[in-house]
Amino acid sequence: MAKKYVPEPFRIKMVETIKMTTKEEREEALKKAHYNMFNLAGEDCYIDLLTDSGTNAMSQDQWAGVMRGDEAYAGGKSYYKLVEAGQDIFGYKFIQPVHQGRAAEKVLFPLLLGPGKFSISNMHFDTTRAHVELAGARAIDCVCPEAKDPSMIAPFKGNMDVEKLEALINEHGKENIGMVVMTVTNNSAGGQPVQMKNIRETAAICKKYGIHLNIDAARYAENAWLLKLRDDECRDKSIKEIIKEMFSYADTFTMSAKKDSIVNMGGLIGIKDNEDLYRDVKGRCISFEGFISYGGLSGRDLEALAIGLYEGLDEDYLKYRIGQMEYLASRLDDAGIAYQSPVGGHGVFVDAKKLLPHIPYYEFPAQALAIELYREAGIRTCDIGSYMMGNDPDTGKQIESEFEFTRFAIPRRVYTQAHIDIMADALIAIKERAETIKGYRITWEPPILRHFQAFLEPLEK
């Protein structure tokens, strides 16, 4: 039986009208988009779950902050407010704003990686993997075995496999490991949390071998909330205390602030105390992002981000936020639709491999399900599977992903219970005709991050 829906800890003060479309209109839109969800026009999507990045609803305090933003080119008040917020929450000496998470990776990663080097992560997300490869290095995923079975109930499926991590370091040589990346929550594994003990153990291995530890911190607050719910050692701590301990074990963090900081644009690099590294980061930031005190952002963005960093820590908000995922997951439980369980932080990751077992990985079952959801109800989701993984950079062959997930990434403070019921109803309708759904093939793709641009066509067999 579906869980009781968690009531919103806010009132709706402004609304945005969204367009209703017919199946015929959606079919035409899919063809025009070459069956790539990123090519669809946003206005043609009734419920847009493509990403929870930058699609969130800011608060009245953040919008008031937009009006207060200091637009000085150098040393504006909003910059100092953001730096102080970052230092207070994360406990790091140096905080560098950038325009989004991939900019943080572009600035930092080439300082740690290069040809012949490796980055090891509990799982690299798409842009993270791309920036590892753009730096000339190679990415290795090292997620715990429990994550690979979506039906298994385990509280910390985002964890690093620490035994495998140490084995990989010894296999490739510690001098060749440019960094270890701990992604919290683990997006590619289904928004799954990482246990505090696992972060500590990973940090101990990095310290043992003298390897840099970076946190991919896009969903820092959701990880902290799930730790408070599931980790006995965190149960009696505040969200802020949990976050400060999480980050105390790492050397740096890169963050897309467009997620848990509830803004439409922004990112951060945090450096614990390495002044030489900070000097190099500042130089690259000036070259690629703009002067250090704005980092590719307007003063109003800096102001909204400083406020959002704190709003994302509110426990009433986090209870509601995770409660939305739990409600949708419970509806899928009732319908016998598999997903990465237990549900994670920022979305529900439906197991397309199980729903569409007749479609092989090289015909992209998760992308096929995403297309079908748009066709059925105007819902835009995305593939977290072999289509997103792309081709091996050395062999050019299609990589088979550990998972074939269709991700329902729920924007923060945007959709209501009625919208979530539509999501569940659409999946139930698709399940009833699942065997009629066909796979897809790529007709054109760029060399990197192909899923953002590729063209596909349905297979006829």
Side-chain angles (χ1 to χ4, degrees), residues 157-172:
K157 284 185 167 182
N159 279 356
M160 183 82 74
D161 184 335
V162 290
E163 290 183 10
K164 184 179 176 183
L165 170 64
E166 190 157 21
L168 286 166
I169 292 169
N170 288 317
E171 176 187 345
H172 294 285

Side-chain angles (χ1 to χ4, degrees), residues 6-250:
V6 177
E8 291 82 356
F10 54 81
R11 289 191 294 259
I12 295 170
K13 202 167 189 176
M14 184 182 76
V15 297
E16 175 189 359
T17 301
I18 50 180
K19 187 168 92 175
M20 313 288 279
T21 56
T22 65
K23 277 196 174 182
E24 292 75 16
E25 289 170 333
R26 294 195 292 272
E27 192 64 57
E28 187 59 33
L30 283 169
K31 290 177 184 175
K32 185 178 177 182
H34 297 279
Y35 300 94
N36 184 331
M37 310 314 289
F38 288 89
N39 290 338
L40 289 168
E43 68 173 354
D44 291 334
C45 301
Y46 175 58
I47 298 174
D48 198 346
L49 312 179
L50 185 69
T51 181
D52 62 316
S53 178
T55 56
N56 308 295
M58 293 204 301
S59 69
Q60 62 180 2
D61 291 330
Q62 287 176 296
W63 282 111
V66 165
M67 299 305 295
R68 292 194 300 266
D70 184 349
E71 303 299 342
Y73 184 93
K77 289 184 295 184
S78 300
Y79 164 71
Y80 292 113
K81 182 174 180 178
L82 174 59
V83 169
E84 288 170 8
Q87 291 170 334
D88 177 42
I89 292 168
F90 303 108
Y92 280 28
K93 184 175 181 180
F94 304 112
I95 302 292
Q96 176 59 56
V98 289
H99 84 271
Q100 63 183 95
R102 70 195 63 176
E105 293 163 353
K106 178 182 179 181
V107 168
L108 179 65
F109 284 11
L111 298 171
L112 303 169
L113 298 170
K117 296 284 189 180
F118 295 89
S119 170
I120 306 174
S121 177
N122 53 341
M123 288 199 84
H124 298 84
F125 197 56
D126 54 0
T127 60
T128 314
R129 182 180 302 277
H131 281 288
V132 169
E133 293 174 1
L134 285 168
R138 292 293 176 260
I140 304 174
D141 289 335
C142 191
V143 71
C144 64
E146 300 93 313
K148 298 175 185 179
D149 182 357
S151 64
M152 177 187 290
I153 303 296
F156 299 107
K157 284 185 167 182
N159 279 356
M160 183 82 74
D161 184 335
V162 290
E163 290 183 10
K164 184 179 176 183
L165 170 64
E166 190 157 21
L168 286 166
I169 292 169
N170 288 317
E171 176 187 345
H172 294 285
K174 63 181 182 180
E175 68 280 3
N176 295 317
I177 310 302
M179 66 176 177
V180 170
V181 178
M182 179 63 85
T183 308
V184 295
T185 57
N186 191 330
N187 187 0
S188 294
Q192 294 293 309
V194 181
Q195 190 175 18
M196 189 71 79
K197 177 185 176 186
N198 188 255
I199 300 173
R200 197 159 48 236
E201 290 173 345
T202 300
I205 290 171
C206 290
K207 186 174 182 180
K208 176 180 175 180
Y209 292 99
I211 296 170
H212 187 100
L213 177 58
N214 180 68
I215 291 179
D216 180 341
R219 298 174 178 90
Y220 64 98
E222 291 170 1
N223 200 87
W225 176 253
L226 290 167
L227 282 175
K228 189 173 178 66
L229 293 181
R230 301 179 188 177
D231 192 337
D232 288 340
E233 71 170 282
C234 297
R235 206 170 300 279
D236 297 325
K237 295 179 180 177
S238 70
I239 296 299
K240 194 173 175 183
E241 287 171 333
I242 295 168
I243 289 169
K244 193 158 282 187
E245 182 177 352
M246 282 166 49
F247 284 79
S248 72
Y249 299 118

